Amino acid sequence: MNLNIGLVGLDTSHVMAFAKCLNKPGDAEHVPGGTITCAFPGGSKDFELSIGRVEKYTSELRDEFGVKILDKPEAVAEAVDLLLITAVDGRTHLDYVRKTIAVRRPTFIDKPFAVNSADAKEMFKLADQHGVAMMSCSSLRYAQALTEALADDSLGKIVGVDAFGPMAIEPTQGGLFWYGIHTVEMVNRVMGTGCREVKATTTDNHDLIAATWPDGRVASLHGLRHAHGKFGLTIHREKGCQTVDCAAGKRSWYASLLEAILRTLPHGKSDVASKDTLEVIRLVEAANQSRRTSGAAVAL
């Protein structure tokens, strides 16, 4: 069965990556099982990286991939089997969920799921009330090299992780919510839920977040500005460590993410548990609070 897929929010390069994977059967990155058939442009007027990209991506989706452009997010939900809320502005996601949830389409929400815990909890509450499968995460969660490292436990159990990635600051999203959330997502996948507290050290060019778990495990999250722009991790295990270059691997993050979405959401499940997504949002909130208070420890 080939699903009709709709996009809400055409202000991110992710929509082009998704269209390439889904709407081009001959492409090496093709993901079978669904086709993007319609979309709603959206865009946030107070956010240049949003509103400044809507027209370009809307035109490209329509002209290159045959995607029908509709005038309401509700119309997109009604016309498809699976909904992807791709709007780059996390502040808009709750409003889009409120407008589309009654149609009861399984829904993926791109990062950041929300920019505060209240909105995040409300979206999952609405999903539960309407019986809608809902999933959210960063595509970095599915980096092939990370997946392969986690599958190899020959060095024993995981005792900690050092993760890094770019961390540009976008005022409308707040601290780690813009790019830092990718690194938080990777740490969550490695360490699981249960983070107890975080402490942040911040300079003009760096953020270093120390996150502690109740069993004594520690993760570091290094956000870099004006540096190489790469994502990676060192996973520490009982008998050694694994170095993970997230750019390695034959499959792109986006293709692997779409495979996870299509593997679960159409069947009423999410590949990422809501408790993980809620902890990612809360960890970012706590890290942001620590950044604002000169590195004070903040409990989750």
Side-chain angles (χ1 to χ4, degrees), residues 20-22 24 27-31 250-255:
K20 180 181 177 182
C21 290
L22 293 167
K24 284 193 171 184
D27 193 271
E29 290 279 281
H30 178 60
V31 176
K250 296 180 180 179
R251 202 74 168 144
S252 75
W253 312 324
Y254 303 114

Side-chain angles (χ1 to χ4, degrees), residues 59-289:
S59 297
E60 290 179 359
L61 281 171
R62 181 185 58 235
D63 299 341
E64 295 181 27
F65 296 97
V67 175
K68 186 176 182 179
I69 306 302
L70 303 181
D71 61 357
K72 293 181 180 180
E74 302 95 314
V76 174
E78 290 167 359
V80 299
D81 307 301
L82 174 64
L83 185 66
L84 309 184
I85 296 178
T86 46
V88 77
D89 185 352
R91 299 173 301 171
T92 67
H93 292 168
L94 175 56
D95 181 58
Y96 283 140
V97 168
R98 285 173 171 158
K99 289 177 177 176
T100 59
I101 197 73
V103 186
R104 299 192 171 200
R105 299 294 186 252
T107 301
F108 172 80
I109 301 177
D110 212 338
K111 70 86 196 164
F113 180 59
V115 293
N116 60 71
S117 289
D119 282 7
K121 291 175 181 177
E122 180 64 16
M123 284 189 280
F124 279 126
K125 179 181 177 181
L126 289 168
D128 288 342
Q129 289 174 345
H130 289 82
V132 170
M134 183 173 287
M135 173 180 169
S136 179
C137 66
S138 159
S139 58
L140 266 296
R141 196 177 189 95
Y142 291 97
Q144 183 178 340
L146 175 56
T147 298
E148 291 173 352
L150 292 175
D152 179 7
D153 61 359
S154 60
L155 294 175
K157 69 180 183 180
I158 294 169
V159 298
V161 64
D162 300 316
F164 64 85
M167 191 184 147
I169 300 296
E170 168 49 53
T172 66
Q173 305 303 291
L176 277 73
F177 276 116
W178 180 232
Y179 248 75
I181 198 168
H182 290 300
T183 305
V184 176
E185 286 267 6
M186 294 190 298
V187 167
N188 173 264
R189 186 173 184 199
V190 173
M191 299 286 280
T193 57
C195 179
R196 183 182 65 196
E197 71 172 27
V198 299
K199 296 179 182 180
T201 298
T202 302
T203 69
D204 289 343
N205 294 325
H206 299 268
D207 275 271
L208 186 60
I209 314 297
T212 306
W213 271 250
D215 58 7
R217 292 178 301 146
V218 174
S220 71
L221 301 86
H222 191 170
L224 301 104
R225 287 177 285 280
H226 315 298
H228 50 71
K230 296 180 181 296
F231 289 99
L233 313 90
T234 298
I235 300 173
H236 300 286
R237 294 181 179 269
E238 293 172 298
K239 302 174 185 176
C241 62
Q242 298 163 297
T243 300
V244 177
D245 176 1
C246 291
K250 296 180 180 179
R251 202 74 168 144
S252 75
W253 312 324
Y254 303 114
S256 297
L257 169 60
L258 288 169
E259 288 167 349
I261 291 170
L262 290 171
R263 185 171 63 239
T264 56
L265 277 184
H267 305 288
K269 302 176 182 179
S270 170
D271 200 54
V272 179
S274 59
K275 67 177 183 180
D276 286 278
T277 299
L278 289 171
E279 180 154 312
V280 165
I281 299 303
R282 179 62 194 127
L283 198 158
V284 172
E285 280 183 321
N288 286 347
Q289 183 179 343

